[in-house]
Amino acid sequence: MSEGSVFWLLAGGMLVLALVFMLAPLFRIPRRALARAEYDLAIYRDQLRELEEEIAQGSIDEEVAERARNEIARRILAADAARKQAREQLTAGGGKSVILATLMALGASGLAIFLYLQLGQPGRPDMPLEKRLANAARNNDLAALVKRAEQRLAKNPDDLRGWLALAPVYEQMGQMDKAVEAWRNAIRLTKKPSAELYNAYGEALVRLSQGRIPTEAVKAFSKALELVPGNPMSRYYLAMADLQAGRREAAYKKLKKLLDDLPSDVPARAIIARQVAQLAQALGKKPEEPSTTARTPKPNGAATAATTPANSPRMAQAEPSQAGPSAQAVRERMKAMQEMSPQQRMEMIRNMVEGLDERLKDDPSDLSGWLRLIRARMVLGERDKARTALENARRAFAGKAEALSRLDALAGRLGLKE
Amino acid sequence: MIVELGHFALVLALAVALYQTVVPLYGAHKNDARLMSLAAPAAVAQFLLVAFAFAALVHAYVYSDFSVLNVWQNSHSAKPFIYKITGTWANHEGSMLLWVLILALFTLAIALFSGNLPLSLKARALGVQGSISSAFLLYIVTVSSPFVRIPPDRVPLEGQGMNPLLQDPALALHPPMLYAGYVGFSVAFAFAIAALMEGRVDSAWGRWVRPWTLAAWTFLTAGIALGSWWAYYELGWGGWWFWDPVENASFMPWLAGTALLHSAIVVEKRNALKTWTVLLALIAFSFSLIGTFLVRSGVLSSVHAFAVDPERGSFILAILAFFIGGSLFLYALRANTLKIEGRFAPLSREGALVLNNVLLSAATAAVFIGTLFPLIYEAATGGGKITVGAPYFNLTFGTLIIPLLIILPVGPLLAWKKADVKAALSRMKASMALTALAFVLSLVVLNASIRAAGGIALGVWLVAGALEEWAGRVMLFRAPFKVTWKRITSMPGSMWAMTLAHAGVGLVVLGIVISTAWKEERIVALQPGGKVQIAGFEVIYKGMRKATGPNYLAEQGLFEIYRNGKKVGEEISEKRTFLGRRSMPTTEVALMHYTLGDLYIAIGDETKMGRTVRVYFQPMIYLLWLGALFMAIGGFVGLLDGRFRVGVAERTESRLAAQPAE
């Protein structure tokens, strides 16, 4: 039987029961009804009895008692007279009243059904929390799944995997306070937390304070930088922290260096380039040409358009103000990145690097490509792969002195030379 | 499914209530016994349906069914079980349903325990109860339904939590008690309307009305006392009564109900004061309705709140206009049909009770004006704010109530019809002596002001007067002990009730006067290790710590209490922040009871100077609640008086002139 029909069965039962209560007395042989005076008499008799008790007890004096007795006696006489008169007044009510009452009861039932159909949701099941949680997986109920994971973690707060699973979900749901807590717990429970973990924690803290970089976040990014020297995310946020603290010179240097180290097709470049340009302007420096090693296209005219200081560390929030097609593309990519978890973001960067690697295998004559790849490998902390790339590049440009010297220069800067 | 069945039951209850209104009243009008006899079973059905609907809502709360809008708005899955249940009525929709449930319960009680009632009076009373039920059920079903559901795909996982201030044991009991009081007066109201319809109020009527009135009054007394006790320890201001409109809203029906309680005695014993009594019955319930309206419509915080939700506000206003206006109109039409009997001299117990009625009614009016004036002012000036504070109430209410309290102990000694005041006073010699002694001692030994000394004397006069009247009644020390003992054991419940309640009033007066006159208060900023001296105690602040409750986080201030260099206690004063609601944290004060009074510590915010700490010493403030307890116990004892169980009319003497069925 469906929920709906069970509901109507029960509701119908309720209705029938109510009708029984409303109408049953009609079908009983009418009880003898008593006149009002009979009830009055009962009361006055009680009063008289109480009075006698009080007299017997001696709690009222003779004179008062006598007065009261007379008064009650008068009431009794009056009630008795009224009773004789009233005897014939009360009627049992005939068939007419049966019909009237039945119609009224049926009308009331009709009204109830009509009103309920207007206001209720017949047969809609209950949704108690426990039951909902129990069925979360089956119903693909994401919110309930999170809640369940939370309940498990409340019981066992040392479940690393639970925290790691929840943290990105919280970020996605915009509950940054919980995300921060989750990352913090994950770090607490990991023996040797990775740079990624620290970065994720730091970034969640930044998002929680809506762009400000709190001390706690600076600590996290510094830790990540220690673990993987040169990783761009930590460097970017630390530069931003400098900027927010008013150390513009230091911020400028860090950002500039970061820009130089980033492969040219990393989408965030455009933003960073703009910030560098703005800072340069603000500090009264000549906007330098992009370093020769990083052969980047002009950063979408951003440098000229940026008039406001880029004080937001959220890469994606810094929208290029020129709406050229490529700016649009960057923005979309940034937006896509913003919606990713830090892991996903790293994944995306890694994919781009792998793509570059593949391309250079097919076309090894692209010097700037090689330079970018080597730098990116270093940024990702893949020292060995960077060294392999360097060797491959040397082989590709064997005999070309100029190219080799540039490769050597980069290797020297990145500490790849033995 | 249970939610929907509850909703259906509620709607069906409305239909049954309409039936219960129309059929018996028509039957009584036609003098048709068959139709009149339909009232009681309909009342039973209505109660069962409302109870089912209420249980369905409680079920949804207990199982955190957030598909119900009301549950989502007012509950949280981490709440302790008890507050999941009480959360049901800690919000507008649920509390209105509780109101109707209690109304249905009283109606059921009339239906079941009225074998001693004439059929027409019973049918009319149940019909009137049905009409009140219909109005409120219609209100609930149409504009204030607790069964509104959230669409299935948007059901949240966690509720918004219950107002943290209300997560408290006293407040769990307070609303049901208060409502039992408010709604209890509906019975007196229904009987009064029925009597006006029949044009008959007599001694028998007084006897039927009295127990219901007493029950309502007892609940209301307990409810108000719980409310003020809660305000005392939960709000952390060290006060217990603020002449706040919400408090006044419950105090007005209590004052009117107290007058009604006494007036009904006169109707029963002397068949007099009928118009007074009927009017008081109408007024007591009218104030109950107004109290419900004031608190529930949000009109108190501002007239604007009313404008925010005009649908509900106007609906309740219409209900008020119908029942208050309608009943007073009926009174104006029919009051002159009540025969004036039972004559009495001005100086008599009746006369004293008339004075009691007049003073209590005037006091009610004073509170009423003070409560409503700011609202009227705001509405009239288009948003102007004005507050009527404690000085107004203390002056007007005090002026009216003090003469009443002075004559109170004498009243029970006056004879019915015509009294000898001199003889009555001569039976109060001991009380008078004690009162004078209390006055002088307060002035000389305690260094009290004239006002405080007068207040203490008044309290002593009330307590001593009640005891002396009781002693005279049982002939204490004037008769052999055996006689006295017999009199004590055979004293009817209503006499005990009077003695307890009147002495209770005296204790309340003493509690108010002493705690106001000798209250000590220190507000300081303390660093850990800091000390406060108060009333011979030394309070040392040890510092703060954090704690977690089932659904809240707490900051706990730790204190050590010393007296005469000896440690007498360690106490914790808390601030709690509850889950689900980002609201003001609640205070849990540290409260220590000593013979001389309460030591009361509340923590405030952390400042540069240290933690703000408020320490109060409230001398003998417990007398206040002890007095209220005496009154409530008195009411309860009075209800047990066997004499209220009126004998059932005998059924042998008259025959029914039955019409043959057509």
Side-chain angles (χ1 to χ4, degrees):
Chain A
M1 230 183 330
S2 74
E3 294 253 19
S5 40
V6 173
F7 170 79
W8 281 117
L9 206 67
L10 293 171
M14 213 185 276
L15 190 65
V16 169
L17 209 67
L19 277 171
V20 168
F21 269 100
M22 286 192 272
L23 294 176
L26 286 178
F27 306 105
R28 276 197 311 225
I29 298 162
R31 202 185 57 183
R32 271 193 294 238
L34 300 176
R36 166 74 176 259
E38 315 259 2
Y39 294 90
D40 293 348
L41 270 178
I43 293 225
Y44 301 144
R45 274 188 216 113
D46 277 352
Q47 285 185 335
L48 202 57
R49 206 188 53 238
E50 279 157 27
L51 185 69
E52 297 304 336
E53 275 170 20
E54 277 176 38
I55 295 168
Q57 237 186 68
S59 59
I60 48 176
D61 56 52
E62 269 312 309
E63 193 198 344
V64 177
E66 195 53 40
R67 266 202 316 236
R69 195 184 280 137
N70 286 341
E71 218 166 85
I72 296 172
R74 266 204 302 280
R75 283 180 213 157
I76 289 180
L77 286 177
D80 208 39
R83 185 186 62 180
K84 282 181 186 126
Q85 246 186 359
R87 208 170 259 181
E88 271 100 52
Q89 280 178 9
L90 208 60
T91 61
K96 238 197 228 162
S97 36
V98 174
I99 294 168
L100 183 79
T102 311
L103 284 179
M104 285 293 301
L106 291 177
S109 311
L111 176 76
I113 294 171
F114 171 77
L115 266 179
Y116 178 73
L117 285 177
Q118 301 290 310
L119 301 166
Q121 300 180 16
R124 175 164 166 197
D126 294 344
M127 206 183 209
L129 190 59
E130 298 245 334
K131 207 173 117 200
R132 181 173 171 191
L133 293 179
N135 296 335
R138 197 182 333 138
N139 299 341
N140 208 8
D141 186 342
L142 182 68
L145 284 169
V146 170
K147 176 92 182 172
R148 234 170 57 179
E150 281 173 348
Q151 284 179 347
R152 271 200 303 270
L153 282 169
K155 268 189 219 121
N156 176 20
D158 289 349
D159 175 14
L160 172 63
R161 280 177 47 195
W163 291 117
L164 281 177
L166 267 183
V169 180
Y170 283 140
E171 287 187 347
Q172 219 164 11
M173 298 196 305
Q175 300 180 344
M176 294 315 297
D177 50 340
K178 288 187 174 174
V180 163
E181 204 50 49
W183 289 123
R184 188 179 292 148
N185 277 309
I187 290 173
R188 172 174 66 85
L189 295 169
T190 315
K191 262 189 206 140
K192 279 187 186 163
S194 66
E196 269 177 38
L197 204 50
Y198 277 118
N199 275 339
Y201 173 52
E203 207 176 20
L205 278 167
V206 173
R207 278 182 70 185
L208 178 63
S209 22
Q210 291 174 332
R212 300 292 314 167
I213 301 175
T215 329
E216 185 65 26
V218 172
K219 275 187 205 155
F221 291 127
S222 307
K223 279 250 176 64
L225 199 60
E226 257 170 51
L227 290 169
V228 180
N231 86 72
M233 192 187 286
S234 310
R235 285 166 65 192
Y236 177 75
Y237 279 111
L238 287 172
M240 281 301 149
D242 280 339
L243 190 60
Q244 285 178 5
R247 298 187 292 270
R248 291 196 295 184
E249 189 66 49
Y252 174 76
K253 276 187 188 146
K254 282 184 186 167
L255 282 176
K256 182 92 180 37
K257 185 113 188 310
L258 178 60
L259 194 61
D260 287 347
D261 293 350
L262 275 183
S264 66
D265 61 349
V266 171
R269 265 195 79 98
I271 311 296
I272 297 172
R274 202 181 80 192
Q275 282 175 328
V276 168
Q278 281 172 338
L279 266 175
Q281 211 175 25
L283 291 168
K285 295 188 195 229
K286 263 196 158 178
E288 285 176 40
E289 278 303 304
S291 96
T292 42
T293 49
R295 200 203 54 183
T296 43
K298 264 203 157 181
N300 299 319
T304 46
T307 47
T308 50
N311 58 358
S312 163
R314 297 302 322 284
M315 296 197 191
Q317 275 171 3
E319 293 178 22
S321 46
Q322 298 275 312
S326 60
Q328 185 70 29
V330 168
R331 189 154 57 186
E332 259 160 31
R333 231 145 114 194
M334 288 308 302
K335 208 162 162 243
M337 266 181 88
Q338 183 199 349
E339 279 159 13
M340 290 174 185
S341 72
Q343 287 97 322
Q344 286 172 319
R345 210 170 304 164
M346 281 317 260
E347 201 59 44
M348 181 172 156
I349 293 173
R350 202 159 268 144
N351 284 339
M352 290 186 331
V353 175
E354 297 302 334
L356 182 61
D357 205 350
E358 288 300 316
R359 192 159 58 77
L360 288 172
K361 268 179 199 153
D362 296 333
D363 174 24
S365 66
D366 178 6
L367 176 61
S368 73
W370 283 113
L371 292 170
R372 225 159 58 222
L373 179 65
I374 295 164
R375 220 179 293 119
R377 288 293 188 201
M378 281 308 286
V379 164
L380 289 171
E382 299 165 341
R383 202 180 175 84
D384 290 341
K385 285 188 178 170
R387 201 184 299 279
T388 318
L390 179 66
E391 277 161 20
N392 288 340
R394 277 200 177 125
R395 225 169 290 139
F397 291 101
K400 292 182 180 164
E402 201 212 346
L404 285 176
S405 78
R406 280 183 67 184
L407 281 170
D408 282 344
L410 177 67
R413 232 176 332 160
L414 294 176
L416 276 174
K417 268 188 176 168
E418 285 81 2
Chain B
M1 187 87 93
I2 295 174
V3 174
E4 290 304 319
L5 283 174
H7 196 173
F8 182 74
L10 189 70
V11 176
L12 190 54
L14 167 63
V16 174
L18 287 168
Y19 177 85
Q20 184 198 326
T21 309
V22 176
V23 174
L25 285 179
Y26 178 77
H29 179 68
K30 289 275 165 196
N31 212 11
D32 182 329
R34 210 191 275 262
L35 290 183
M36 286 193 272
S37 69
L38 291 173
V44 176
Q46 205 221 124
F47 170 75
L48 291 176
L49 290 167
V50 174
F52 183 87
F54 190 78
L57 187 61
V58 172
H59 179 270
Y61 266 88
V62 168
Y63 289 96
S64 296
D65 186 340
F66 298 125
S67 72
V68 180
L69 181 66
N70 185 256
V71 178
W72 171 67
Q73 283 171 335
N74 299 292
S75 196
H76 192 282
S77 66
K79 248 184 349 183
F81 181 72
I82 173 79
Y83 297 126
K84 282 189 183 162
I85 294 179
T86 66
T88 314
W89 56 78
N91 61 81
H92 178 87
E93 291 82 2
S95 70
M96 291 315 291
L97 188 57
L98 177 70
W99 204 95
V100 171
L101 175 68
I102 294 174
L103 183 67
L105 189 65
F106 271 102
T107 314
L108 178 76
I110 304 179
L112 295 184
F113 305 123
S114 57
N116 51 17
L117 270 188
L119 193 55
S120 65
L121 191 67
K122 180 173 162 182
R124 286 192 164 112
L126 286 174
V128 174
Q129 291 283 94
S131 70
I132 302 170
S133 254
S134 304
F136 276 89
L137 281 170
L138 189 64
Y139 169 75
I140 292 175
V141 164
T142 53
V143 297
S144 171
S145 175
F147 290 114
V148 173
R149 307 285 295 268
I150 297 174
D153 52 333
R154 263 184 282 155
V155 175
L157 264 155
E158 197 43 270
Q160 295 183 315
M162 176 177 170
N163 184 348
L165 281 177
L166 307 183
Q167 296 190 27
D168 180 273
L171 256 239
L173 284 176
H174 171 70
M177 286 275 188
L178 205 61
Y179 282 8
Y182 281 172
V183 177
F185 286 126
S186 74
V187 182
F189 177 85
F191 273 106
I193 297 285
L196 285 172
M197 286 174 172
E198 308 207 320
R200 272 190 70 171
V201 172
D202 51 24
S203 172
W205 182 88
R207 182 125 172 169
W208 286 315
V209 167
R210 271 182 66 199
W212 298 105
T213 310
L214 184 58
W217 181 88
T218 306
F219 282 124
L220 195 53
T221 306
I224 293 175
L226 269 178
S228 87
W229 168 237
W230 168 81
Y232 173 62
Y233 72 72
E234 179 71 26
L235 297 182
W237 305 336
W240 47 271
W241 189 267
F242 306 98
W243 292 110
D244 176 277
V246 176
E247 291 167 338
N248 294 348
S250 61
F251 194 43
M252 292 185 283
W254 187 85
L255 289 170
T258 308
L260 170 64
L261 198 61
H262 291 87
S263 199
I265 299 176
V266 184
V267 176
E268 194 212 320
K269 298 281 183 203
R270 290 280 304 122
N271 208 10
L273 298 198
K274 295 178 195 178
T275 46
W276 256 114
T277 308
V278 169
L279 184 61
L280 284 170
L282 302 184
I283 286 177
F285 185 60
S286 296
F287 275 120
S288 298
L289 287 177
I290 290 173
T292 310
F293 167 71
L294 284 180
V295 176
R296 281 291 145 219
S297 67
V299 78
L300 286 177
S301 46
S302 165
V303 176
H304 294 297
F306 186 81
V308 171
D309 200 349
E311 210 179 25
R312 284 182 179 178
S314 335
F315 203 128
I316 299 195
L317 211 55
I319 294 180
L320 283 190
F322 177 74
F323 285 104
I324 300 178
S327 64
L328 292 178
F329 183 68
L330 187 67
Y331 179 79
L333 281 184
R334 306 278 295 181
N336 57 346
T337 60
L338 303 176
K339 257 193 285 175
I340 294 176
E341 289 167 89
R343 307 193 179 277
F344 54 86
L347 277 178
S348 60
R349 199 186 293 187
E350 294 94 321
L353 286 169
V354 169
L355 189 59
N356 174 61
N357 286 350
V358 170
L359 289 172
L360 280 174
S361 305
T364 312
V367 176
F368 184 61
I369 291 166
T371 309
L372 282 201
F373 186 70
L375 291 180
I376 294 165
Y377 183 83
E378 190 187 345
T381 58
K385 285 275 183 190
I386 192 173
T387 47
V388 173
Y392 162 85
F393 290 105
N394 289 341
L395 182 69
T396 54
F397 182 76
T399 311
L400 290 163
I401 213 71
I402 287 171
L404 178 63
L405 295 181
I406 292 173
I407 62 162
L408 190 153
V410 187
L413 291 168
L414 299 177
W416 292 110
K417 260 182 146 170
K418 187 171 187 309
D420 183 348
V421 178
K422 231 189 218 165
L425 287 178
S426 75
R427 286 156 67 189
M428 302 206 63
K429 280 183 198 131
S431 304
M432 286 191 252
L434 270 176
T435 306
L437 189 67
F439 185 73
V440 173
L441 280 182
S442 314
L443 277 182
V444 178
V445 180
L446 295 175
N447 244 337
S449 66
I450 294 274
R451 276 180 63 174
I456 290 179
L458 181 61
V460 170
W461 167 243
L462 284 161
V463 177
L467 293 179
E468 195 172 7
E469 192 272 344
W470 175 83
R473 189 175 287 279
V474 299
M475 301 184 77
L476 192 68
F477 307 133
R478 286 195 288 123
F481 181 71
K482 249 172 118 178
V483 177
T484 302
W485 181 247
K486 190 168 170 277
R487 286 187 165 220
I488 289 175
T489 49
S490 64
M491 194 160 124
S494 53
M495 286 298 136
W496 283 111
M498 180 190 76
T499 304
L500 283 168
H502 286 181
V505 174
L507 291 177
V508 169
V509 170
L510 284 174
I512 294 174
V513 172
I514 296 174
S515 69
T516 316
W518 283 279
K519 176 175 174 172
E520 288 188 46
E521 181 176 343
R522 304 268 185 285
I523 300 176
V524 286
L526 290 181
Q527 299 285 355
K531 295 174 192 174
V532 191
Q533 304 279 348
I534 188 166
F537 291 96
E538 189 174 64
V539 177
I540 302 179
Y541 171 56
K542 305 299 284 186
M544 299 297 294
R545 70 166 182 218
K546 295 216 186 292
T548 0
N551 57 339
Y552 60 83
L553 301 171
E555 285 183 281
Q556 299 182 326
L558 308 177
F559 296 89
E560 282 178 1
I561 324 294
Y562 289 84
R563 182 157 58 175
N564 302 330
K566 250 175 62 189
K567 186 161 156 184
V568 290
E570 280 180 23
E571 288 294 331
I572 295 172
S573 183
E574 288 187 32
K575 276 185 145 200
R576 293 180 180 170
T577 310
F578 282 77
L579 300 177
R581 286 203 189 224
R582 303 276 149 98
S583 56
M584 292 278 293
T586 66
T587 50
E588 295 292 322
V589 303
L591 199 53
M592 289 133 280
H593 306 288
Y594 298 100
T595 326
L596 273 178
D598 291 359
L599 190 62
Y600 180 113
I601 306 173
I603 55 171
D605 296 326
E606 190 76 45
T607 64
K608 266 186 209 153
M609 311 283 298
R611 174 66 61 169
T612 310
V613 178
R614 293 195 304 277
V615 188
Y616 302 89
F617 184 71
Q618 313 256 28
M620 300 207 158
I621 195 161
Y622 51 79
L623 287 180
L624 187 72
W625 291 290
L626 193 67
L629 188 67
F630 267 54
M631 287 193 241
I633 291 176
F636 188 67
V637 171
L639 280 176
L640 294 180
D641 190 334
R643 297 187 300 173
F644 276 144
R645 282 189 284 280
V646 179
V648 175
E650 288 156 34
R651 295 191 172 145
T652 48
E653 295 184 35
S654 85
R655 309 211 92 208
L656 188 72
Q659 278 181 1
E662 285 160 36

